[in-house]
Amino acid sequence: MTEVFIVRPFGNRDVLKKDKTTGISSSIKYDFDKVEKELIRPAMKQLKLAGGTTGEVFEAGDIREDMFSDLLLADIVIADITIYNANVFYELGIRHALRDKRTILIKCPGFDDTPFDIIGYRYISYDKDQPADALSDLVKSIDETMNSDRKDSPVFNVLPHLETQDPETYLALPEDFIDEVRIAKDSGQAGRLSLLAFEAESFSWKFPALRLIGEALFKMRCFQTGKLVWEKIRNYKPGDVKANDRLATIYQRLAEAEMKKNKDEGVSLLTKSDIAIESLINNKALTNSDRAEAYALKARNSKTRWVYSWIELEGDERNTRAQQSIDLENAFKFYEKGFYEDLNHFYSGINALGLLITIISLAEKSPDIWESAYDSPEEASLKLKGLKDKLKKLTTAVQVSIESAKLKQEAKGEPDYWINITEADFVCLTSDNPVRAANLYKKVLQGAGGLNVDAVVRQLKLYHALGVKTDNITSALTALPDADDQQKKTTHFLLFTGHMIDKADRKEPRFPASKELQAREAIKKKVIEEKNKLDENTTLTGIAGGACGGDILFHEICEELDI
C-alpha cells in the first residue's frame, strides 16, 4: 500500500493574520487538526492510502530517528505550509533534500507569504473553515503525483546532477522474515512464499521483502507466481533494473510454455519480455556485463520466435523456413552484440557461435535457398565467405573467453557448471570428434542440476533437428538423459471455501438451492481461469471441505476437469 507522511502544525492555536490592505495583524483561531481530519484523511481514504503524521513519531523539541525515516521512506509527503512553522519547514527541507519527487504542498491563503525558495511550486489551496471543499483538488493532485515522474524538489531542480536517495538502501529486513523465506524456498513451498509476499505489503520494508521472495520464486522456476511479485516492484519503479531483468526472463519462459497451447498469447508474452529488455538497454547506468545480459535476453526472444516458426515442420520445408526466418539473423545479431559488449560474457558468445554455425550449415545444405535471398550467386557466395571469416574470429574470441572464465573459476575454487557446460558446447560445435564431445558432456554434467541438463539437451535437439554437426550432436544426445525426464514438476494448490446450501427454514437467503447451477458455473469458470495460468510443468491440486454446497460443487468440478 502507498504510504503517506503528513507534515503540518498541530492543534487549535492562535495564528496572526495580516490584512494586506491595512497592514494590521489580528489573532484568529486556527484548527490544523480539522484540516487533517476533513481534507487530508478523506483524500487518503478515497485513494486507499495509509500513513501518519510527525505528531505520531516525536514530541516538540525531541526529533527522533523515526521522523527522518518516514520523510525518506514515505511514497508521498503532504506538507501544510500555511504558516511559518519551524518544524514544518525543517521537515520539508529534509524531504526535498532526500527525494526529488512526490511531495505535495497545501496552504490556506491569507496568512504568511510563501517562502521565496518555493514560490514557483504548485500548492493546493483550501479554506480553513471549509477544508473539505478542496477535497477533489487534493485527490486529483495526489493521483497525478503518484503517476508522474515530475520533480517537485527545488533542491534537485537547482542541482540536476544530485542523486536522490533510494529508500530501499536504508531498509533492513527482520531476521525472522528472512528465515521464513529461506525455509519456504528450501522446502519448495511456493504457496507459502506467496503468502509472505502478501503479508509483507503492510510493512515499510515491503520492497526489499518482495525482492527476496521474487528471487526465491525465480530460482524455484515458479514463474507464474514470480511474475506477480516482480510486477509489483516494477509498477512502483518502472525502470528498476532487477525487476525488468527478471521479468524479461519470466515472460520469455512463460511464452515458451504458452507457444505450445496458445501461440498468440506466447507472442504477446515475448513482446512483454522485449519491452522489459528495452528498459534495461536504455538504462545509461547499466554496466557492460548487464548490457551483455540484456542483449542475450533479447536474442533469446528472437531465437524462440525462430524455433517456433519451423519446429512443427519436417524435411525440406523445415530447413527452408528455418533458413529464411529473419528471427534467425536477429538472434545471431543480438547474441553477437551482447558478446562484444563484454567479452567475458561467454554465454552470449557461445550462442552467437552456435547460431552462426547453424546459418552457414543451412546455407551449405540448401545453396539455392541461400542464393535466392541475394541479387546474384556471386553476392550470395561473397556473403557466405564473409560469415565464414567472421566464424574464425568469433571462434577464437569465444575460446579465449571460456579459458579466461575457467581460470577465474579455478582461482575461486568454486565449481561453475555453466562454464564447464559452455566448454563442452564449444568442443561439440568446433571439433570433429563425436566421442570426445559426448564424454565431455557426461563429465561436466555430473552433479549438475536438472536445469543444466535440460538446457543442454534442448539445445542439442535443436541442432539435431536442423542437421547441424550431426555426428557430434547424435553422439552427445545418446550419452545424455532426455530433457523431458529432467523437468521438475511443481504443485499449485487451489483452496476453495464457500457457503452451504440454505436449509429450508432459513429466513435470510444466502445460498438458496435455486442458485446451485449458477454457483456451479461461476466456480467452474474461476477454476478454469486458474488452471489456464499454469505452465505444463505445474500440476494443480484442489483443496476444500466436504460441506453440502460450494465444497461439493468444487470437488465435482475438479473431478470433471481432471484436477
Side-chain angles (χ1 to χ4, degrees):
M1 178 178 285
T2 302
E3 291 288 330
V4 175
F5 190 57
I6 304 166
V7 176
R8 66 173 181 84
F10 289 92
N12 190 342
R13 61 171 70 184
D14 291 324
V15 176
L16 288 177
K17 184 175 183 179
K18 186 175 184 180
D19 189 297
K20 291 187 177 182
T21 303
T22 64
I24 300 174
S25 296
S26 58
S27 178
I28 64 171
K29 284 289 185 182
Y30 200 115
D31 190 351
F32 288 100
D33 294 346
K34 177 180 179 180
V35 176
E36 178 180 337
K37 181 180 178 182
E38 297 184 8
L39 175 60
I40 301 174
R41 290 291 179 177
M44 292 168 57
K45 183 177 180 181
Q46 194 166 321
L47 293 169
K48 295 184 172 64
L49 308 178
T53 70
T54 49
E56 296 171 15
V57 297
F58 77 96
E59 296 176 1
D62 179 22
I63 300 172
R64 298 207 322 238
E65 180 183 343
D66 289 349
M67 188 263 290
F68 291 105
S69 296
D70 286 329
L71 288 169
L72 169 65
L73 301 177
D75 300 299
I76 293 174
V77 165
I78 299 175
D80 190 332
I81 58 170
T82 298
I83 62 173
Y84 289 159
N85 180 278
N87 284 340
V88 167
F89 283 100
Y90 180 74
E91 293 153 29
L92 180 60
I94 291 172
R95 172 67 176 192
H96 278 163
L98 294 174
R99 301 286 294 272
D100 61 345
K101 58 178 71 76
R102 299 194 174 91
T103 300
I104 297 172
L105 306 179
I106 64 173
K107 177 180 173 67
C108 178
F111 290 85
D112 295 334
D113 294 332
T114 303
F116 173 79
D117 304 83
I118 54 175
I119 278 180
Y121 290 85
R122 175 189 175 194
Y123 63 83
I124 301 300
S125 178
Y126 69 86
D127 182 276
K128 76 177 186 69
D129 296 317
Q130 301 293 332
D133 291 348
L135 179 59
S136 61
D137 289 339
L138 182 56
V139 168
K140 181 181 178 183
S141 179
I142 296 173
D143 189 50
E144 289 176 351
T145 299
M146 288 192 298
N147 296 294
S148 170
D149 281 330
R150 181 180 63 85
K151 290 184 180 180
D152 52 38
S153 164
V155 179
F156 284 90
N157 281 323
V158 173
L159 304 173
H161 298 295
L162 187 66
E163 293 187 3
T164 183
Q165 300 301 306
D166 183 357
E168 287 190 49
T169 306
Y170 302 91
L171 294 171
L173 290 174
E175 286 295 328
D176 57 346
F177 185 86
I178 296 173
D179 291 342
E180 285 278 351
V181 173
R182 181 179 177 182
I183 292 169
K185 174 182 174 293
D186 290 349
S187 57
Q189 298 181 55
R192 176 61 180 155
L193 288 172
S194 297
L195 180 59
L196 288 170
F198 175 78
E199 292 174 344
E201 290 197 63
S202 60
F203 297 103
S204 61
W205 37 265
K206 61 184 174 184
F207 287 110
L210 290 175
R211 289 182 191 281
L212 184 67
I213 294 167
E215 193 65 13
L217 290 166
F218 183 83
K219 290 179 178 178
M220 290 168 62
R221 303 177 72 194
C222 297
F223 297 129
Q224 189 66 51
T225 309
K227 175 177 77 74
L228 301 176
V229 173
W230 285 110
E231 282 177 341
K232 286 180 181 178
I233 297 171
R234 192 179 63 175
N235 288 341
Y236 180 71
K237 289 185 175 180
D240 190 88
V241 172
K242 192 69 171 182
N244 279 298
D245 176 79
R246 288 303 185 229
L247 284 171
T249 299
I250 288 170
Y251 288 138
Q252 195 276 334
R253 297 294 177 85
L254 292 175
E256 282 187 339
E258 197 64 41
M259 284 290 223
K260 302 171 185 177
K261 301 181 290 184
N262 184 340
K263 192 169 184 180
D264 288 342
E265 178 61 22
V267 171
S268 175
L269 285 165
L270 285 177
T271 301
K272 286 185 177 182
S273 178
D274 282 338
I275 292 171
I277 293 166
E278 288 300 326
S279 177
L280 289 172
I281 293 174
N282 292 333
N283 189 323
K284 294 179 181 178
L286 216 62
T287 65
N288 286 346
S289 177
D290 289 336
R291 199 172 297 281
E293 184 68 22
Y295 277 116
L297 289 170
K298 193 171 180 67
R300 181 164 176 165
N301 285 351
S302 293
K303 183 178 176 182
T304 300
R305 292 185 178 96
W306 171 62
V307 169
Y308 280 94
S309 71
W310 56 263
I311 196 67
E312 300 295 332
L313 305 176
E314 295 181 357
D316 292 341
E317 188 179 4
R318 164 183 281 184
N319 283 14
T320 299
R321 184 73 63 83
Q323 186 174 347
Q324 291 179 331
S325 173
I326 187 65
D327 289 314
L328 172 58
E329 182 181 340
N330 286 339
F332 166 68
K333 178 179 68 176
F334 291 130
Y335 273 129
E336 182 187 39
K337 191 169 182 61
F339 184 53
Y340 287 124
E341 281 282 345
D342 180 3
L343 292 173
N344 290 312
H345 200 261
F346 56 83
Y347 170 79
S348 54
I350 193 66
N351 278 281
L353 183 67
L355 289 178
L356 183 54
I357 289 171
T358 300
I359 292 171
I360 294 171
S361 175
L362 290 172
E364 290 178 337
K365 287 177 182 295
S366 306
D368 53 331
I369 296 174
W370 175 259
E371 291 177 3
S372 68
Y374 300 92
D375 292 335
S376 66
E378 292 76 20
E379 184 184 355
S381 178
L382 191 63
K383 178 66 175 178
L384 187 57
K385 181 180 181 302
L387 290 179
K388 289 181 178 179
D389 290 340
K390 177 178 284 191
L391 178 61
K392 293 178 183 178
K393 296 177 183 178
L394 186 59
T395 300
T396 301
V398 173
Q399 184 176 20
V400 172
S401 180
I402 294 171
E403 289 174 355
S404 174
K406 282 183 68 66
L407 288 173
K408 293 176 183 176
Q409 174 193 3
E410 291 169 5
K412 288 181 179 179
E414 300 173 358
D416 188 326
Y417 291 111
W418 288 117
I419 296 174
N420 298 330
I421 288 169
T422 303
E423 183 181 32
D425 289 335
F426 182 81
V427 169
C428 187
L429 289 168
T430 59
S431 76
D432 292 315
N433 190 333
V435 175
R436 184 184 174 216
N439 287 338
L440 191 54
Y441 274 124
K442 289 172 69 175
K443 178 182 177 182
V444 301
L445 288 173
Q446 289 180 9
L451 178 61
N452 306 79
V453 179
D454 172 77
V456 169
V457 175
R458 289 184 183 279
Q459 181 61 57
L460 292 176
K461 282 188 172 183
L462 291 181
Y463 292 137
H464 187 267
L466 297 174
V468 177
K469 302 292 290 188
T470 305
D471 292 342
N472 285 6
I473 302 297
T474 302
S475 178
L477 284 172
T478 303
L480 295 173
D482 191 273
D484 295 333
D485 294 335
Q486 298 300 317
Q487 290 288 354
K488 182 181 177 181
K489 292 283 186 180
T490 57
T491 301
H492 182 86
F493 292 96
L494 191 59
L495 175 65
F496 177 87
T497 179
H499 294 305
M500 294 176 62
I501 295 280
D502 290 349
K503 295 182 178 180
D505 59 351
R506 183 180 176 88
K507 292 181 180 180
E508 294 293 331
R510 183 178 60 181
F511 185 179
S514 61
K515 297 291 185 179
E516 180 181 342
L517 291 178
Q518 185 178 342
R520 191 182 199 283
E521 288 305 309
I523 296 169
K524 183 177 180 180
K525 180 180 178 182
K526 189 63 180 177
V527 171
I528 292 174
E529 180 183 317
E530 291 298 314
K531 186 177 182 182
N532 289 340
K533 290 179 182 178
L534 307 179
D535 60 37
E536 61 183 3
N537 300 316
T538 306
T539 58
L540 185 62
T541 295
I543 301 176
C548 296
D551 290 358
I552 291 181
L553 292 176
F554 175 77
H555 284 301
E556 290 174 348
I557 290 163
C558 286
E559 183 179 22
E560 178 186 338
L561 298 176
D562 194 29
I563 297 172

